[in-house]
Amino acid sequence: MNTGTFINYQLAEALLLLHSYQKSNKSLAEFEVELTKLKEKWKKDTMPSTGSPIPDLYIMQSITIDQLIQIDSKIDEYDSFSTENAANMQSIIKTNDGDVKFDFSYLDSIVQLAREKGKKVIIDSAVVFGDHFPEIFDSLSKDEMTYIIQKYISELTTKYGDDIERIDVLNSVFERKDIKDKSGITVEDFWKRKIGDNYGEEIINICKSSLRKNIPLCWNEFYITNKSYADKKDRFLSIVGKIDNLDIIGIQDTFQDSADSEYTIDVLREIKQLCLSSDKKATITEFGCRLSGNTINELYATLNNNPLQINDHKLMVEQRINRLMETIANYTSQSQSFISVEGRVSKEFDFNAYLPELRELREKGIKINTVGNNWNKLLRSINFENEKSQNSIEKNDGRLGENGIHQK
């Protein structure tokens, strides 16, 4: 099983700058000066499609040389880098008098870093991104939208085809109700209005016909293993199982720390069976945890009423997160239907650790490790044990003869 992590364009630019200094005779003090200049540049960077400022990305404005060196070494352990929306179609499109262009400049740095590291990239939230309403496409017809998607996929895979591991075509849009435009139209209703009720399959088909390389396509959704959304899960799996050109089912659940482990594994088992019956694969695209409302309330209650117990309470929550992640890692690593697990390199780069409801805890120095204790090392350890066990079985069964028949 492969593992991957998320690399935002600013982190890629900083690491590439670090590499250039490591290859030169310049000092780290000189590198620090250039890093400061780079941070100033980031403050002026804008979204290609709108010209609006790019918000601060995690700890990039405060990142130190030591942190960069540690991250540079740590990301060697992963097989792929998810591009953190750097190639999202609605963010990088630039139109002028009907001329459609795409600005891939932010993606360039991530791809260059991946090449230096011998890794592949995963194009995150490529066409449909449910977290942001696509107002930029509001006036377009279905034919115009189809043309833009075709051109985007064609240019993306022509330019970077050999570097791409997977394209997450749709992300977090299915039955999405919280993202709306000013008139109350939801982001999913937008795509239904533009493409049709069967928007998912139609968009996947458009992308498949536009590929310039044979690259797997994925539809990525969250809350699939959440017990409160069981009906949504059933509807989603029913739809994706019937999309012939869909290669991979993505599970972006940011599993709740208080999740029912048995139910979670039951759903993963259901996904595995769907993959086997529909000739698809599955991947965990966001391996980490989000604190439930009850957990957050309990932490604040401890902080306010028994502050001396807050560290013990924090440790208890983190242990619960680790147990859940270990359970999921054990199951997915033993199933050939799950081909990859992707997560954050550390809690400092996990959006779940920056949720507004955790702000007061962070300000008090209570920072929950939402990504577990080195989940990548855990998965690699499980994979190693599985391979060792399989080798032992094959050895005990006898060796293969010339025609592939076991000889006792």
Side-chain angles (χ1 to χ4, degrees):
M1 173 184 284
N2 287 344
T3 62
T5 195
F6 291 78
I7 302 291
N8 66 66
Y9 85 92
Q10 293 179 2
L11 180 58
E13 288 182 352
L15 292 175
L16 290 172
L17 181 65
L18 174 65
H19 294 174
S20 70
Y21 269 76
Q22 290 173 330
K23 295 173 185 175
S24 71
N25 294 321
K26 295 180 179 179
S27 67
L28 286 179
E30 291 175 289
F31 170 68
E32 188 161 20
V33 172
E34 293 304 313
L35 180 60
T36 299
K37 292 179 182 178
L38 192 57
K39 291 178 180 180
E40 289 302 312
K41 180 195 82 74
W42 293 335
K43 293 179 182 178
K44 301 172 185 177
D45 284 347
T46 60
M47 300 281 284
S49 60
T50 62
S52 56
I54 292 176
D56 288 344
L57 298 178
Y58 304 108
I59 61 168
M60 293 310 302
Q61 279 300 320
S62 61
I63 200 162
T64 65
I65 294 176
D66 285 344
Q67 286 174 318
L68 282 172
I69 292 173
Q70 291 173 6
I71 292 170
D72 188 43
S73 176
K74 188 172 180 60
I75 63 176
D76 286 333
E77 303 171 4
Y78 300 91
D79 301 299
S80 64
F81 298 157
S82 293
T83 59
E84 198 81 273
N85 303 326
N88 174 245
M89 186 180 75
Q90 74 188 60
S91 299
I92 66 170
I93 191 171
K94 302 183 75 174
T95 58
N96 184 23
D97 294 329
D99 184 25
V100 176
K101 295 183 179 180
F102 299 98
D103 184 346
F104 291 106
S105 56
Y106 291 140
L107 178 61
D108 282 338
S109 59
I110 302 174
V111 171
Q112 183 181 343
L113 179 66
R115 288 171 179 168
E116 289 189 9
K117 295 283 189 180
K119 313 295 183 183
K120 296 284 190 179
V121 298
I122 293 170
I123 305 300
D124 178 30
S125 307
V127 176
V128 176
F129 186 27
D131 283 0
H132 296 287
F133 195 91
E135 293 179 0
I136 196 166
F137 301 135
D138 212 22
S139 64
L140 302 181
S141 67
K142 180 177 180 178
D143 287 344
E144 290 170 325
M145 280 302 315
T146 298
Y147 169 75
I148 287 174
I149 295 170
Q150 288 172 332
K151 185 169 185 179
Y152 165 77
I153 292 294
S154 176
E155 290 190 11
L156 175 70
T157 56
T158 297
K159 188 175 176 70
Y160 306 102
D162 292 333
D163 302 294
I164 299 175
E165 178 77 17
R166 185 183 83 232
I167 300 175
D168 290 355
V169 176
L170 299 104
N171 186 13
S172 309
V173 66
F174 185 72
E175 298 187 0
R176 191 75 183 264
K177 303 299 183 186
D178 57 320
I179 304 298
K180 304 176 182 178
D181 69 358
K182 295 177 181 178
S183 65
I185 301 297
T186 69
V187 65
E188 184 183 46
D189 286 339
F190 170 89
W191 288 103
K192 285 182 177 180
R193 187 179 65 189
K194 291 294 178 184
I195 305 297
D197 288 344
N198 202 20
Y199 68 93
E201 182 172 13
E202 290 204 40
I203 291 172
I204 289 290
N205 290 342
I206 293 168
C207 292
K208 183 67 79 172
S209 66
S210 306
L211 290 172
R212 294 296 176 260
K213 294 284 183 177
N214 186 21
I215 300 170
L217 303 180
C218 173
W219 186 343
N220 187 33
E221 284 297 333
F222 56 57
Y223 294 161
I224 303 305
T225 65
N226 189 313
K227 213 170 190 177
S228 300
Y229 293 84
D231 290 342
K232 171 185 173 177
K233 176 262 298 180
D234 291 342
R235 289 188 290 270
F236 174 67
L237 295 183
S238 176
I239 288 173
V240 296
K242 298 172 185 174
I243 303 178
D244 291 337
N245 283 324
L246 181 68
D247 304 293
I248 298 174
I249 301 169
I251 309 302
Q252 182 195 320
D253 269 25
T254 51
F255 307 91
Q256 284 201 347
D257 69 291
S258 56
D260 182 332
S261 295
E262 290 187 9
Y263 178 81
T264 300
I265 297 304
D266 283 344
V267 173
L268 296 180
R269 188 177 293 112
E270 185 178 350
I271 294 168
K272 181 191 78 170
Q273 293 301 322
L274 176 60
C275 288
L276 293 173
S277 64
S278 61
D279 195 27
K280 303 185 191 308
K281 297 296 183 181
T283 180
I284 305 293
T285 65
E286 192 74 48
F287 195 38
C289 279
R290 179 173 184 160
L291 302 190
S292 69
N294 286 339
T295 296
I296 293 171
N297 291 337
E298 290 167 358
L299 282 166
Y300 277 117
T302 300
L303 180 64
N304 294 326
N305 301 323
N306 298 290
L308 294 179
Q309 300 297 318
I310 189 63
N311 286 328
D312 288 340
H313 195 160
K314 170 180 173 289
L315 178 61
M316 180 185 71
V317 172
E318 291 178 338
Q319 288 174 338
R320 189 161 64 221
I321 289 172
N322 285 323
R323 284 195 299 270
L324 177 63
M325 295 185 72
E326 184 173 355
T327 298
I328 296 169
N330 270 306
Y331 180 79
T332 54
S333 64
Q334 294 178 42
S335 169
Q336 292 186 354
S337 293
F338 286 88
I339 57 173
S340 180
V341 172
E342 295 122 30
R344 304 287 169 170
V345 68
S346 70
K347 66 179 182 293
E348 287 78 19
F349 288 90
D350 182 27
F351 66 90
N352 289 299
Y354 295 88
L355 295 174
E357 54 264 37
L358 299 178
R359 183 179 295 115
E360 186 179 343
L361 288 170
R362 291 196 305 274
E363 291 172 352
K364 298 288 187 179
I366 311 302
K367 300 177 181 179
I368 309 295
N369 186 351
T370 51
V371 301
N373 292 333
N374 203 339
W375 62 268
N376 184 49
K377 183 177 180 180
L378 168 65
L379 268 167
R380 291 192 177 277
S381 175
I382 295 171
N383 287 339
F384 175 75
E385 291 300 323
N386 289 341
E387 290 173 6
K388 189 167 66 172
S389 176
Q390 183 62 35
N391 290 337
S392 176
I393 292 171
E394 291 176 357
K395 182 177 180 180
N396 291 335
D397 281 350
R399 59 185 178 84
L400 289 175
E402 292 181 358
N403 297 318
I405 301 172
H406 279 289
Q407 294 182 340
K408 297 293 184 182

